[in-house]
Amino acid sequence: MDAEMEDAGAQAEIERGGGGGGADAVLGLAGGGAPVSLCYHQAFGPHDDLVLLEAADDLLPDLLQGRVTVRGRPEEEAVLCTPSATYSMKFVGTSNSMFLIPPGEPSAKCLRPDSTNGDANAVAATIKLAPGSIELVRTAPRLDKLRSLLRERPYILDEVLGNDFQHMKGLYTWQDLCKLIQASDGELLDGLNTLSAVEIDGFWRTVDANSVNTILDMILHNSVLHDWPLNAMPENDVLSVMESDGFTHKIVTHCLNRFGTKVEQESRSFWNLDEKRVCLQFAQRALGAGKMKLANFMDKWERSIPSGMRADLQMLEGEVLCEKLGAETWVHAFSVADLPLTPADRFAALFREQPKWEWKDLQPYIRDLRLPGVSSEGLLIKYTRRTQPSAEAEPIFTAR
Amino acid sequence: MQIQVQCGCGEPSCPEWAVVELQGVAGYTFTVGYHELAGTKVTLKNPLLVLRKTKTNAGCGEQEPPEVELEVIGIIRHKILFKDRPKALISKPPTKEKKTLQPAAK
């Protein structure tokens, strides 16, 4: 019978602390009407399963329509994620006594110290004394872990993945990443794009550098063979030729996207290779892991790039560092993409690499840093010490 | 792990809870007795959501951590805040606690 079931449900809800409090009567108090008695609900208790979450009005739609998740491992500090933003969750206690009064018709049973049955006016009941509430503070997504996870098992051309559990190690699906990475879906996707990750067979992978070079070389080699202009390579032709050379559409498209931009013209797709991105790849290949004399490096680099492209040291800011050793200038790889994302760790890594920085060298290594509510000047003030030997000299930044 | 925050009520009809807040630790019963408290209804700067946390043991194995669910069961937009010390309506006979009795008239 519906009425009975409804009552049973309402009764269950009251016992769980979610109803039977008469909140409306309390909320209507300011109207200057009859006084309201407030007593302890029959089910008054700690109710540790009830928590209060402070939510700004702009977060309410996401919260009330099921678009919010709490993410993190049990040992991490929890974060709350809307589709596009990440918030840290901090419990803030109160020394006040905050009595919670649930909605619903006031249930007749109130506790009184003299255990009489409640007076005729008893209309509101408190279910719990709240110790405080959880505050949300917008925070940068925690993406450092994403990079280390995806570097466990980069995709290598012609790799063979086994089927058993051992061979699944280091492979992460989108759902796995949502559970492990403390970031909103939107920020997670941005993070994956920043890493040039690609989803292959359901797993998000970074592509091993040698494999990238092989594919790029092949694309360039074919462009010469088939007369494709590097600023207008016909997509269908590129894909079919590369496929016959043994490269899947997916991985070729990924590389085209990594080194170029797509242009639609007369309902055909063309790819325009970006000089800076292509030359950077060749620079990294020329430089390798060690140091080179600048002149030698420039020579090797210029001879390796596709004809028609121009090598310029400016393209490598944030990717290589030059230093003067004696009379010679040496250069080595130092890529911002390998550095930590959190400002404190980033500055620590930069000052470990070299203790003093001029602004023009430092800027490319910190311009990607984001801390909600803090400007880049703010970051400099917080993490560096600025000295200027004389009015005409360049300012120098050192660790604070 | 990932915990979806659910809300069965939907945005417009989220049940509204009330809060009565006393500054300090409450040592008094609420029904009108010997003391009168003056409070004001305050609109919260940011609403508070009442969430219920439930742990369900998926029962699929000891290795799996218990699943946690979070459900929004109510919203708090206002509270009745009592900041001032309670005033005695009538003068009480001396009690064991040392308390200063406030005069009834303001």
Side-chain angles (χ1 to χ4, degrees), chain A residues 19-192:
Chain A
D24 286 345
V26 176
L27 293 169
L29 258 180
V36 171
S37 292
L38 185 58
C39 62
Y40 289 103
H41 194 288
Q42 180 195 28
F44 182 86
H47 292 284
D48 292 329
D49 58 333
L50 294 182
V51 296
L52 296 180
L53 180 71
E54 187 177 327
D57 278 313
D58 59 343
L59 286 179
L60 282 182
D62 284 334
L63 277 161
L64 296 177
Q65 289 169 41
R67 292 192 291 264
V68 165
T69 58
V70 174
R71 291 182 174 172
R73 300 194 60 74
E75 65 272 12
E76 290 170 326
E77 196 184 79
V79 297
L80 184 132
C81 298
T82 64
S84 58
T86 306
Y87 298 82
S88 67
M89 299 174 78
K90 294 204 153 63
F91 178 79
V92 179
T94 176
S95 58
N96 288 357
S97 302
M98 240 178 113
F99 290 95
L100 300 187
I101 299 157
E105 276 303 301
S107 68
K109 299 171 185 149
C110 259
L111 291 177
R112 282 179 63 94
D114 54 5
S115 52
T116 57
N117 221 8
D119 57 82
N121 287 334
V123 281
T126 175
I127 197 76
K128 174 186 164 98
L129 182 57
S133 58
I134 297 173
E135 262 182 20
L136 298 175
V137 179
R138 180 83 196 263
T139 185
R142 300 178 191 165
L143 293 170
D144 277 323
K145 204 195 323 182
L146 179 63
R147 189 179 0 177
S148 53
L149 288 181
L150 291 191
R151 283 183 179 179
E152 283 175 18
R153 194 94 174 265
Y155 172 80
I156 300 175
L157 281 174
D158 299 328
E159 68 178 13
V160 175
L161 291 181
N163 279 336
D164 59 342
F165 178 69
Q166 271 299 94
H167 289 109
M168 290 298 118
K169 233 165 99 65
L171 295 177
Y172 302 96
T173 61
W174 172 257
Q175 279 305 320
D176 292 334
L177 294 176
C178 287
K179 288 182 194 159
L180 294 169
I181 306 295
Q182 295 187 297
S184 64
D185 284 0
E187 289 160 325
L188 181 55
L189 207 50
D190 281 343
L192 288 168

Side-chain angles (χ1 to χ4, degrees), chain A residues 109-385:
Chain A
K109 299 171 185 149
C110 259
L111 291 177
R112 282 179 63 94
D114 54 5
S115 52
T116 57
N117 221 8
D119 57 82
N121 287 334
V123 281
T126 175
I127 197 76
K128 174 186 164 98
L129 182 57
S133 58
I134 297 173
E135 262 182 20
L136 298 175
V137 179
R138 180 83 196 263
T139 185
R142 300 178 191 165
L143 293 170
D144 277 323
K145 204 195 323 182
L146 179 63
R147 189 179 0 177
S148 53
L149 288 181
L150 291 191
R151 283 183 179 179
E152 283 175 18
R153 194 94 174 265
Y155 172 80
I156 300 175
L157 281 174
D158 299 328
E159 68 178 13
V160 175
L161 291 181
N163 279 336
D164 59 342
F165 178 69
Q166 271 299 94
H167 289 109
M168 290 298 118
K169 233 165 99 65
L171 295 177
Y172 302 96
T173 61
W174 172 257
Q175 279 305 320
D176 292 334
L177 294 176
C178 287
K179 288 182 194 159
L180 294 169
I181 306 295
Q182 295 187 297
S184 64
D185 284 0
E187 289 160 325
L188 181 55
L189 207 50
D190 281 343
L192 288 168
N193 287 333
T194 306
L195 290 173
S196 298
V198 57
E199 194 177 23
I200 298 173
D201 294 334
F203 298 111
W204 279 91
R205 320 283 299 277
T206 51
V207 185
D208 154 78
N210 287 335
S211 300
V212 173
N213 288 330
T214 303
I215 301 163
L216 182 59
D217 283 348
M218 202 52 155
I219 292 173
L220 292 170
H221 170 74
N222 278 321
S223 72
V224 171
L225 221 52
H226 301 273
D227 275 322
W228 301 325
L230 293 183
N231 61 2
M233 306 205 302
E235 184 179 61
N236 289 341
D237 296 355
V238 174
L239 290 179
S240 67
V241 167
M242 289 294 284
E243 188 176 35
S244 61
D245 285 331
F247 297 93
T248 63
H249 279 211
K250 173 156 247 171
I251 201 68
V252 174
T253 306
H254 171 72
C255 277
L256 287 171
N257 204 28
R258 192 164 164 164
F259 294 108
T261 32
K262 191 157 160 170
V263 177
E264 306 284 343
Q265 208 172 41
E266 289 155 24
S267 71
R268 289 186 69 203
S269 299
F270 294 88
W271 284 90
N272 176 3
L273 287 190
D274 181 273
E275 183 180 61
K276 183 170 172 180
R277 286 184 259 166
V278 172
C279 288
L280 170 59
Q281 189 72 15
F282 281 100
Q284 287 167 333
R285 211 194 297 195
L287 202 45
K291 283 198 222 279
M292 281 179 82
K293 287 188 188 165
L294 184 57
N296 292 348
F297 163 70
M298 288 302 294
D299 183 55
K300 185 174 175 189
W301 182 30
E302 273 156 1
R303 284 191 283 120
S304 69
I305 59 179
S307 67
M309 291 198 177
R310 200 196 77 245
D312 181 348
L313 203 51
Q314 271 277 353
M315 294 168 168
L316 305 182
E317 53 176 30
E319 299 293 340
V320 303
L321 277 185
C322 293
E323 56 181 332
K324 268 194 127 48
L325 295 172
E328 299 271 10
T329 305
W330 292 75
V331 61
H332 65 280
F334 186 64
S335 175
V336 67
D338 294 330
L339 299 178
L341 290 163
T342 52
D345 295 335
R346 170 73 62 88
F347 280 101
L350 289 174
F351 290 122
R352 266 199 302 274
E353 176 66 21
Q354 77 188 28
K356 293 183 184 174
W357 290 78
E358 282 186 16
W359 174 241
K360 66 167 169 51
D361 299 322
L362 183 61
Q363 199 257 353
Y365 287 99
I366 62 171
R367 62 188 164 199
D368 64 316
L369 287 178
R370 278 188 221 322
L371 205 58
V374 183
S375 65
S376 24
E377 287 78 33
L379 287 175
L380 284 177
I381 291 170
K382 188 166 178 183
Y383 294 105
T384 71
R385 196 184 311 151

